[in-house]
Amino acid sequence: MLGRVEVSDSDIMDAISAVEGETLELLSRLVEAPTTLGNEEPGQVIMSEAFRDLLGLEPVDVAMDAEALRAHPGSAPFSWDVSGKRNVVADWPTAGTGGRSLVLQGHIDVVGPAAEKLWRTPPFQAVRDGDWLYGRGSGDMKAGLAAGVGAVLGLRRLGLAPLAPVQLQSVVEEECGGNGALQCVLSGLRPDAAVIPEPYPGFIPTTQVGVLWFDVDIAGTPTHVADAQDGFNAIEASFAVVKELHALEDELNEGAPPPFDDVPHPINFNVGVVSGGDWASTVAAECTLSCRIAHYPGTPVTELQRRVEDAVARSASASPYLAAHPPAVRYDGFACEGSHLAEDQPIVQALAASWEAVTGTPAGIGPTTATTDVRTYIAAGIPAACIGPRAERIHGVDERVFVPSVMQTAQVLALLVRDWCGLA
Ligand SMILES: [Zn+2]
C-alpha cells in the first residue's frame, strides 16, 4: 500500500486533456446508440466495454429486479417489462486507505427525438460542428457518462488510484422514474457521496422538485358523427380535464416555499402524450392523457396524487355524462418527492471547489424545476449532487453539448476524486 500523493491541478488537468480523443470518441458512440426506454442495452454494452477496455476495470451487472423494486416504497410504478435490463457498474480498486468513497453515476437512457423531422441532423447521429456536438442525449447525459470515464482514464494514465473506493455506475430508467438508480442503491453500496454530471454547468441544484407521472383515461360513447348527439366524444371531454389540471398548476405556483419563491414558475404541468379515437367520422370512444406535474420537497407523493384526482373529479362534475362515467387516474412512472441537500454538505463544497479550480468561476447553488437521480441516493442517506457540461435544448430538437465543457467536466471530476478520495 502506498501513501497519499499530492498531484497538482495542472498535472491532472493536462492528463485529462490528453485523453480528449478517447473521451469524445466514447461520447459519439454513446450518442449513436438510440437508448430510449426499453432500448438501453446497446448503450450498456458500450459502457461495459469502456469500463473494461479503456479503464481496465471489471464491469458488473446490477440487473433490474421487478419484484425487489416494487417492494421498495421509493420506487416508481412501472407497467413495462424490466426483465433482462441491467445497470452496469465498475469498481476502481483502491491503492491505499483513508479518503472518502464515491460513486460517479450517469444515466444511459435518453428521451425520444420529439419530432425527428425538425432536427437539422438525424437525432441519433453524433454530428460535430465547431465546438458543439449534436445528437439526442449528447448533453443529457452521455457527455456526463463520457466525462466520468475520461476522468478515471486520465488519472489511471498518471499511474494513480484512489485511496477510497470509487464506483462508476451507468444506470437505466432515469428519464421515466429512477428505478435504475434505486436498483444500484438496493445493491447495498453506501458510498460517502454520489456525484452525477447532469448538464448543470456551474450550478449545483441542491433543491429539486418531486415529479409525478399519471395517465387520465376518459371513456366516451362512439357513434357515427351523423348521430353525434347520441354519442359522447372522449377526446373533446379531455379539454376540460386539461384546463382543471392547469388550474392545479397555478395553485401550486402561487404558494411557492423557499427557495422556489425566487423561481418565476417552479411547478410545470405538461400533457406529453394524447392518444384516443380511431376514425374521423366516429365520435371518439376513448382518450388517454399522459401527464407530468411537479411539487415541492417535503410534500408526500400521496398528497399530490390526491390533488390530481380532485382536479380530474372537478372537471368531470360539470358534465352529467362524465359524472356518471368518471375519468380514471392511473400512475405509471415518476412518483417521487422533491429532494434537498444542505449547501454546507462536504460533497457540495468539494464539487464547487473543483468546479472553480477548473473554470475559474464560482459554482452557483440553488433550486431546479426538474428532478434527477440524486434524490434516490439522498433518500438512502448518501449525500449526492450534480454539476456537469453545458448543453442546450435537452428533450427538444437539435440537442447539443459544448465540447470544451465535456472535458472541463472530466477535469472537475478528476480533481474531485483527488480531493475527496485521495490518490496514491
Ligand atoms: Zn438527465
Side-chain angles (χ1 to χ4, degrees), residues 106-107 109-111 139-142 174-175 196-200 371-373 394-395 399:
H107 63 85
D109 57 312
V110 298
V111 299
D140 183 12
M141 63 165 287
K142 287 168 169 175
E174 188 274 347
E175 296 285 5
I196 307 180
E198 288 271 17
Y200 286 98
T371 183
T372 70
D373 273 341
I394 62 170
H395 295 223
E399 177 178 350

